Amino acid sequence: MSGAEQLTAAFRRLDATLPLAQFPLPIEGAEALRSLAGSMAHQVRDYLLPRAARLDAPLLAVVGGSTGAGKSTLVNSILRAQVTRPGVLRPTTKSPVLVCHPSDEAWFRTEHVLPDLVRTDTQLHDSRALHIVATEALPPGLALLDAPDIDSIDDANRSLARQLLFAADLWLFVTSAARYADAVPWEYLATAAERNTVVAVIVNRCPPGAITDIGGHLSQLLSERGLPQAKLFAVAERALPSDGMVPPGDVSGIRQWLGQLTSESGARAQVAVQSLAGSVRSLDAQLTELTAGVQRQRDALAELRRETVAPYQRAAAAVAEAAGDGSLLRGEILSRWQDLVGTGEFMRSIEERISAIRDRISGWFKGEPKVEAMEVAIADSLTAVLLEAGERAAEETAASWSLTRWGRDILSAAPHLQRASDQFPEAAAAAIRAWQTDVLSLVEQQGRGKRMKARFLAIGTNVVGAALIIVVFASTGGLTTAEIGIAGGTSLLAQRLLEAVFGEDAVRRLAEHARRQLHDRVDDALADEAARYIQILETLSVDSDATGELQAAAADLREAARAAFDDLTAPELT
């Protein structure tokens, strides 16, 4: 594969990779990076690919500059033909005009150059339509493109002006005696210097007596800004004749310079190679900038994800603590438990206690109100704890996100994220009900053994399940309620009941299993709440391979450029 072919392949890879450079969060510099990525994509398609594929293709000289600088008039005057219509209204919304020799028209009619623009044979009020004019007034090998104003008040015109300049082999940069020191033109000229673009600067409407002074000052500025080789032309200010063209003598220097470029194939090739090499060299720094920007986006998104996960992890931990420190045995749950099993002396033998309470709890088998009241008390109390934890997690997440501009932007667009979802109360209640069902299934499975069957049936599934929940609520670090003084001895009775049915070791395992099931149900409910934030972050996510792909494309381009420009003996890349 030749050097030029390697370079073309590298451009194609870059063109396929640039869409990975996404900047969805408004972090510092994101807007500029989005603009840079778009500009690079246009440059690859509009200029680099077609030029690398055909170094002998006609040169494209873009005539650009500030509003009212007289670009169209100069183009007509250079060619001595009315090929482009000067704008009267501002902003001038008209299609750009590309003028070429008839023998070059086929090249510019194809989509090799500026593929995003629609070709037309008439100048339209549409900045995305490229009006092509073929005329023998321009010699073969060079096209002039009259571009929109670089400082137009119309965003589309301004964007297109930049795109066209970056698709050029050389620039004819038009300014005026009154505006040659303006900031915007020099921003573009600085870019031309970075890219080593061949540039000619034309000072239009220059007072005859000031040509020497303005020319000297502008020449000094160009040299100081990295463009000492730029050609400089001055066009005197004078009343235009009826044809609206500048007198031939005033543009003869420009015509002669353009003629030299087209008459000598070596000169034309030198311009093509110089601009191509400079553009390729500038891409390396731009790709480094894009890659760093993508990584900042990924870091910012990862931080928002962490600031979402952490509050919900703390919420889950808070529910687990509340469900195991005995605090839930105060109030309604304790009252309902005592109502069912009594609070009398419990240090007598467990067999006596079971016998004494058997009649009291027999109603559980029939689903009497006391049983239901106990179940409701458990569900309501634990659901309230979960709801409070979920609400607090939403508030903490919103507070963390609001510390950054991009987080505030997301919250502003989705204010519901600052509180628990409308669906969370029902989801929390469903999670706790599901856990209560888990506990009943757990004790039923444990009670299937023959040796336990009699005692298990004597007490009943609901009683055993309630007792197990009481034990779960009363356990902290392996200590029972009696040992930490919460809820008196009532919860110890629950443990003794379970031990009489299952044995001490089995009770310990059952309590741990039930506790894990509760944690899983709570985790799932809170994870669903956190998913609201994660889903939004997913829509803003940056491709995980983006940085690696951009770095690989940059390395590929560097290697291909060395091969290509070694072949073409471009000293600026050796």
Side-chain angles (χ1 to χ4, degrees), residues 361-377:
I361 63 178
S362 61
W364 282 40
F365 298 102
K366 304 172 184 177
E368 292 183 354
K370 288 183 180 181
V371 180
E372 295 177 2
M374 180 68 184
E375 293 172 340
V376 170

Side-chain angles (χ1 to χ4, degrees), residues 342-494:
T343 58
E345 184 180 350
F346 58 86
M347 295 305 293
R348 286 171 283 174
S349 76
I350 190 61
E351 294 295 343
E352 293 177 2
R353 294 296 296 159
I354 291 175
S355 177
I357 67 172
R358 186 172 299 147
D359 293 338
R360 296 176 55 83
I361 63 178
S362 61
W364 282 40
F365 298 102
K366 304 172 184 177
E368 292 183 354
K370 288 183 180 181
V371 180
E372 295 177 2
M374 180 68 184
E375 293 172 340
V376 170
I378 292 171
D380 288 351
S381 298
L382 193 51
T383 297
V385 171
L386 179 52
L387 285 175
E388 181 182 357
E391 190 66 49
R392 185 166 56 250
E395 293 171 356
E396 290 178 4
T397 300
S400 296
W401 281 29
S402 66
L403 295 177
T404 62
R405 175 190 165 191
W406 46 95
R408 289 193 297 272
D409 281 1
I410 296 173
L411 292 173
S412 177
H416 62 279
L417 294 178
Q418 300 179 57
R419 60 185 182 277
S421 71
D422 294 340
Q423 296 75 33
F424 188 51
E426 176 54 35
I432 300 308
R433 289 195 302 268
W435 176 62
Q436 290 176 289
T437 301
D438 292 341
V439 172
L440 293 178
S441 297
L442 183 62
V443 298
E444 282 180 348
Q445 292 172 7
Q446 188 68 27
R448 287 173 184 169
K450 291 181 179 180
R451 298 177 61 183
M452 301 180 215
K453 194 170 183 181
R455 286 182 176 179
F456 182 77
L457 290 176
I459 298 174
T461 302
N462 290 17
V463 174
V464 176
L468 182 55
I469 289 175
I470 294 297
V471 170
V472 170
F473 284 174
S475 299
T476 302
L479 303 180
T480 67
T481 295
E483 292 170 311
I484 60 176
I486 298 177
T490 304
S491 60
L492 183 57
L493 174 59

Side-chain angles (χ1 to χ4, degrees), residues 323-340:
D325 64 5
S327 60
L328 285 174
L329 293 183
R330 301 186 183 97
E332 187 71 10
I333 294 178
L334 179 59
S335 175
R336 296 301 178 187
W337 173 253
Q338 290 174 341
D339 191 32
L340 285 169

